[in-house]
Amino acid sequence: MEYSLLILITPFVLFLFLGLVGGKLKPKSAGIIGTLGMTLCAALSYTVAYQYFFGIGKTSGAWSSIIPFNFEWLRFTDLLHIDIGILLDPISVMMLVVITTVSLMVHIYSLGYMHGESGFQRYYALLSLFSFSMLGLVIATNIFQMYIFWELVGVSSYSLIGFYYQRPSAVSASKKAFIVTRFADLGFLVGILILSYYTGTFDFAALTASNAELVTTSLAGGTFLGLSLATWALALIFMGGAGKSAMFPLHIWLPDAMEGPTPVSALIHAATMVVAGVYLVARLFPVYFFAAPDVLEMIAWVGTFTALFAAIIAITQTDIKRVLAFSTISQIAYMMVALGVSDYGGHDGLGYMSSMFHLFTHAFFKALLFLGAGSVIHAVHSNEMGAMGGLHKYMKITSWTFLIACLAIAGIPPFSGFFSKDEILSAAFHNQPVIFWTLWIVAGMTAFYMFRLYFRIFWNGKREYKGLHKPQESPFSMVMPLVLLAIFSIGTGFIHFADFISSDNMPFHTHIDWKGVAPLSIAVALAGIGTAYAFYFRESRKSSVIAGKMGIFYRCVLHKFYIDEVWMWITRTIIFRYICDSIKWFDRHIIDGAMDGISWTVQKASTSIRGLQSGYVRFYVYVFVAGTLIIAAIALFA
């Protein structure tokens, strides 16, 4: 499987080529080259997946890890060194399929959506850089290699979010995403350093071998502030994952990141970048489970609160991309909860399997939702639901594919989201009833706000569009990805995922709980859809009346509970005033003062001795004679 290296090299070469030469190409040529390169990556990823899952991947009944390429980059000790390589195991192979498939759909879609935009070549170069970074992250053989590509993902997402750099809002959003995730990544780095210092390795295979025995024994006995070293290390590592996956309270960057082009939202903030935190916890799951189960429990509760919190906010948003943004936060939280409530091995590891299953299915239907939203925005030139309504008769393909995605995320069978979400609810039901009922309520809220979105865009009244901006269906390059993703949103739910991915790499059998969890999840989803239909299918004032009766609570939700304002207050009042101002004073008066003092001393000394270089020959003769007499006197009387 050495050819798997081409999956990583191809987007990097495309980035260099399009970044350096793209400006000399016609925009359409740059887009076609980028799309053909991603087509090659997708074909290679599907080949790797087929050979792994249906060929060489299984050894003695268990899925094995294959390292087709690896070299040592930096060596610190005999054990501690940083390698660069490719690790192929069930979750990394699955992620190769997800990333390249969604990225290819975005590349094709962007040929139509971004047509005529200035910076078209730069856009495709940045797409390639992001794909390279994300692919390098998921196939990393060690945690430090993952961290390197983790930071590259942050840089490339910063560039894509701020693609429209002429807009102050886009620049602000890109800086916000970069700063918040860098803050979280500081914790990730400190966690890596603690973990590697005591275990003596960065390697995933060594860290997770024998049910994380190395970590458990290496960090045993050490404590700090009443918590074990394992708890500190893994909690800090999760901090990095919480930043990338927008868990509360580090979620504030993701809604603003919608300032980037809509296809970027589908790629970064629906299918790939935001699941990096989930993937990180899944990659180190044996370490979390055996060395720090208390951190795993914390992850479950953080995910539960985030899922509920984001779902509540999504109900009130009117910008269609922001509804999808908060939906993404809620669904990613579902995946985190599943990992947090999971045990290790066999059916006990249902949470782990369901988390990866939902990551897989969510990638396709959420990418479909974002691209569908982009199709609508392309047609009506607005993000606001108030400018929409009755679009079904103008954009039938977009409407039907968007409906499929809404049914999938709402958890209606036989669409893919039902199967993966039902497994998460089952895992929570058997491990944490409180978490189960909270997620069950969130499932109903998800169905409500998604169909609120669907009805307000495509139905809701008899609005007539007149003039030059009469809506029409998107071009073929935009419609084709919608149809393909709709097929994925239906078909991927029928994959027997437990046959391929489990916490201990041993296949096991799962089934839908038709007597318990499944009827409850379907019932609450239908209730959510029915409520949305009653309020939004036809134009009415019902929702406005209820919003008015809720008073201050509705205003708090509409303003996202003022979390952004709280963070801004903390930043300006505490960080800037008490931390940054102190550092600025120290820099200005101590550092600059010391440098100014040195320069003043040198200047005074040079002024004092500059006469020695006056240029007068008589003075030089005088100094020479005087020096000679002094030396002679010393020699005579010494």
Side-chain angles (χ1 to χ4, degrees), residues 587-598:
D587 179 69
R588 181 172 295 174
H589 292 86
I590 305 301
I591 304 298
D592 287 356
M595 295 300 103
D596 291 344
I598 292 172

Side-chain angles (χ1 to χ4, degrees), residues 262-332:
T262 303
V264 169
S265 302
L267 178 63
I268 296 180
H269 308 117
T272 50
M273 174 180 169
V274 290
V275 300
V278 178
Y279 182 82
L280 171 64
V281 177
R283 172 59 72 198
L284 292 173
F285 182 76
V287 181
Y288 277 98
F289 184 79
F290 289 101
D294 49 343
V295 178
L296 211 55
E297 184 176 0
M298 178 195 72
I299 291 172
W301 288 106
V302 169
T304 302
F305 179 81
T306 303
L308 180 61
F309 174 83
I312 292 171
I313 295 175
I315 291 174
T316 64
Q317 299 301 297
T318 57
D319 182 318
I320 62 175
K321 288 175 68 176
R322 289 184 183 273
V323 174
L324 297 178
F326 281 102
S327 169
T328 297
I329 296 172
S330 185
Q331 295 301 303
I332 299 299

Side-chain angles (χ1 to χ4, degrees), residues 334 406-413 417-418 421 425 439-451 455 517-533:
Y334 254 87
C406 288
L407 290 168
I409 195 173
I412 301 298
F418 163 74
K421 187 181 288 188
L425 291 173
L439 294 186
W440 180 78
I441 293 170
V442 172
M445 296 169 68
T446 302
F448 172 77
Y449 67 67
M450 288 310 306
F451 275 86
F455 291 140
V517 173
L520 287 172
S521 65
I522 295 172
V524 77
L526 291 175
I529 295 172
T531 306
Y533 179 87

Side-chain angles (χ1 to χ4, degrees), residues 607-627:
T607 301
S608 301
I609 65 174
R610 67 182 178 181
L612 297 176
Q613 296 289 334
S614 64
Y616 291 108
V617 177
R618 286 178 298 176
F619 178 74
Y620 293 159
V621 171
Y622 168 78
V623 172
F624 175 76
V625 172

